[in-house]
Amino acid sequence: MNRKEFLQRSLAGAAVVAASAAPIDLMAGCAPKGKKGGKAELRLSFQEGIAPGGSLDEKFDYMEKLGVVGFEPHGGNLAKRVNEIQQALKNRNIKVSAICAGFGGFILAEDPAVKAQFDSTMRDIVAAAGELGSTGVIMVPAFNGQKPCRPHTLETREFLCEQMHDLGEYALKCGTTVILEPLNRREAHYMRQVGDAAAICRDSKSAGVKCMGDFWHMQEETSDYAAFMAAGPEYLQHVHVASRGRRIMPGEDGEKDNYIDGMRALKEMNYPYYVSFECGSDGPREQTVPAAVELLRAQWKKA
C-alpha cells in the first residue's frame, strides 16, 4: 500500500467511526423515509408450524381469529403445493408473505454439482413463489456447516453479487424477489448484519434482490433501529420475530422480548410488508401464540 492509499483508507475509516458514534436520535433525523402520507400497519404473518391445527384450513381459521394476515410456507416441494395453498386461501384475508428457503445446495458452494443443485431448486421455488403472489424467497448464502464453501474474500463477494443479480432478474420475471437473510455468527460467518445484506442488494444491481432482518439473529446488531434503517424502505422486505433468548414465542423470555426500537424504524419508513413468526414454543400454543400476538401489537403502539 502506498502513502496515498494509506491516507485515503485512514480518512474513510475515521468517517465510519464518527458515524458509528453518532447518537441514534441524530441518525433518525437522516433516516430514509417511506412513501409520504402513508401509515405503517403491523402485518403479522405465521410460518406454517406456528398456528395450532391439523390442516391448512384449521390453521387459517385460527389465524383469521387472531387477525394474522400473512402465511409463510416452507419452500420445499412448493411447486406441487401451489394449488393446495391457493385453494385454502380463497375468500380469506390472508396472503402468502415470504417463502422460507427449501432449496438444495447453496449459492457459495465450491462443488459445481452442489451449486447446480441450488440453481435448479431455487429457481423452481422462485417460480412457485411468483404464482402465489409471495413477497420473495428467503435465502442464506452459506451456513457454517456447508462445505466446501468459497472463502470469505472480496472475490467471493463479487461472485455473490453477480449471481444475485441474475437470480434477482429471474425473480422479477416471475413477479417476486429473493430475500437475503443475515444470521448470527453461530450459524453463519458470511453475512451477519442487516447492513451487510443491504450492501449486497445494492451491489447486485437488481430490483429483485432484497433483504430482511430477524429480531433473534439481530443480536449481532448494536441497535435494532439502526439495523433496519441500514436497509431502509428500498431493500427491507421481510422481518422475522421470536423471543430474544431461547427463540420461542415472543414474551416467553420476559423483559428480553422488547422489539420497540426496531418497530420504531419500521414505522418511520412506512414498512409495508410482514413481521413473521419464526419460533418454537415452551408452553402450549393455544396460550403462547395469542399472548405473543397481543404483546407485539402493544409494543407496536408504543413504538
Side-chain angles (χ1 to χ4, degrees), residues 81-249:
R81 298 190 64 201
V82 168
N83 184 64
E84 172 200 1
I85 294 172
Q86 287 175 333
Q87 293 302 314
L89 288 175
K90 271 188 176 180
N91 302 316
R92 291 186 183 273
N93 189 33
I94 299 173
K95 305 292 184 184
V96 175
S97 57
I99 307 297
C100 188
F103 46 83
F106 61 109
I107 198 169
L108 294 183
E110 284 190 328
D111 185 335
V114 177
K115 172 60 165 57
Q117 183 186 23
F118 168 82
D119 291 336
S120 174
T121 56
M122 182 64 171
R123 279 163 173 72
D124 286 345
I125 297 169
V126 168
E131 289 187 67
L132 290 168
S134 168
T135 55
V137 181
I138 298 168
M139 61 170 286
V140 174
F143 288 88
N144 286 339
Q146 291 180 310
K147 299 176 181 180
C149 180
R150 289 175 177 266
H152 194 163
T153 63
L154 179 59
E155 289 74 18
T156 295
R157 188 183 188 280
E158 291 171 347
F159 170 83
L160 177 60
C161 289
E162 291 171 0
Q163 294 293 306
M164 292 306 300
H165 173 84
D166 294 344
L167 191 55
E169 293 300 292
Y170 175 76
L172 289 177
K173 291 178 182 177
C174 295
T176 187
T177 68
V178 287
I179 303 173
L180 290 166
E181 180 176 17
L183 305 180
N184 67 70
R185 68 188 64 226
R186 291 193 297 273
E187 294 190 26
H189 274 284
Y190 189 79
M191 188 177 65
R192 299 196 304 266
Q193 294 184 303
V194 177
D196 294 335
I200 292 172
C201 293
R202 177 199 64 204
D203 294 344
S204 296
K205 298 179 181 178
S206 171
V209 181
K210 303 296 183 180
C211 68
M212 62 171 287
D214 182 314
F215 276 107
W216 189 76
H217 286 295
M218 283 162 58
Q219 58 192 283
E220 297 287 333
E221 309 283 356
T222 56
S223 161
D224 293 341
Y225 179 96
F228 285 145
M229 282 300 184
E234 184 174 0
Y235 300 122
L236 189 70
Q237 191 133 324
H238 197 60
V239 173
H240 275 164
V241 68
S243 75
R244 311 203 77 167
R246 295 171 291 166
R247 205 178 188 181
I248 49 181
M249 286 293 157

Side-chain angles (χ1 to χ4, degrees), residues 2 6 25 39-40 43 51 59 61 81 87 91 94 168 185 190 222 229 243 256 258 265 290 295 298:
N2 60 34
F6 174 78
D25 287 342
K39 184 178 181 182
R43 302 176 68 194
K59 292 176 184 291
D61 286 344
R81 298 190 64 201
Q87 293 302 314
N91 302 316
I94 299 173
R185 68 188 64 226
Y190 189 79
T222 56
M229 282 300 184
S243 75
K256 288 183 179 179
N258 188 315
L295 173 71

